[in-house]
Amino acid sequence: MTSLDKPTEETTADDGARAVTEAALLEAFGGIRGMVETVLPGLLFVTIFTINKDLHWSAIAALAVSLVLVAVRLAMRDTVKHAFSGVFGVAFGVVFAMMTGNAKDFYLPGMLYTLGLGLAYIVTTLAGVPLIGLILGPVFKENLSWRTRNPGRKKAYAKASWAWGLILLGKCAILFPLYWWADTTQLGWVLIALKIPPFLLAVWLTWVFLAKAPAPIDVFAEMEAQEKAEEEGAAAAEGGGRTPGRHRREA
């Protein structure tokens, strides 16, 4: 192996940063399992409704599978935030559809949430506090340090938030016209088809932007180091305060 073939410290650091970014994104967005939990209730709803056009059975099945996913998470003592968010989303859809008697309204709360989230990404970025930074900051143990202490990272979060916002708004631009013009099954299958690809695109772009950004500032490690230094300083001061008295006694 030549010197050119040997991994440099910079290459190793870049690989480490990318690995940390990938792990953080998987934790924040739920990974493959989170995607399955997001898609499965809606898929079950539209499948059953396509077969028998029965709103009640479709809604009950979607809600039941959401509860089963939460129960599995609880049994495995795993994090339930993604499964619970799915339950709440399905529950709102079921209640809304039952109240109106229109099966298409099962999808409306989720569509409105997508629209609101897309706007939130854009508005927070314009305000200088990109939402993706607020979401991922605690995951990277940097909290809000990127706002004032890490401008390169703030820029990456801004780019990622623009990507999320535009992708979600583009998805809404497809779904809302279908809500008015298409039937329930057409809307449902298009919505299912648009669940994963836009999400994966947004996550991939986030990874690209953050992989090229400066490393996060670990504020938790800084706090621990500061506390340790203060404790050592206090111990040294206390020891120094006892030394003169001991010397006087020895004299």
Side-chain angles (χ1 to χ4, degrees), residues 147-218:
R147 288 194 62 197
T148 56
R149 300 173 55 191
N150 205 338
R153 197 157 182 85
K154 180 180 179 180
K155 185 177 180 181
Y157 280 139
K159 290 180 179 179
S161 289
W162 274 112
W164 277 93
L166 294 175
I167 288 171
L168 292 178
L169 292 180
K171 180 178 175 180
C172 290
I174 297 173
L175 293 177
F176 276 96
L178 288 175
Y179 174 79
W180 297 108
W181 301 331
D183 60 30
T184 301
T185 55
Q186 290 171 336
L187 173 63
W189 287 113
V190 171
L191 196 147
I192 293 299
L194 290 178
K195 278 281 187 180
I196 301 301
F199 173 80
L200 290 179
L201 176 60
V203 171
W204 178 74
L205 289 173
T206 301
W207 179 84
V208 169
F209 295 139
L210 292 182
K212 297 178 181 179
I217 299 171
D218 191 337

Side-chain angles (χ1 to χ4, degrees), residues 222-240:
E222 288 184 344
M223 292 171 60
E224 292 175 358
Q226 183 178 357
E227 290 176 358
K228 184 176 180 181
E230 290 175 353
E231 291 174 358
E232 292 176 350
E238 184 179 353

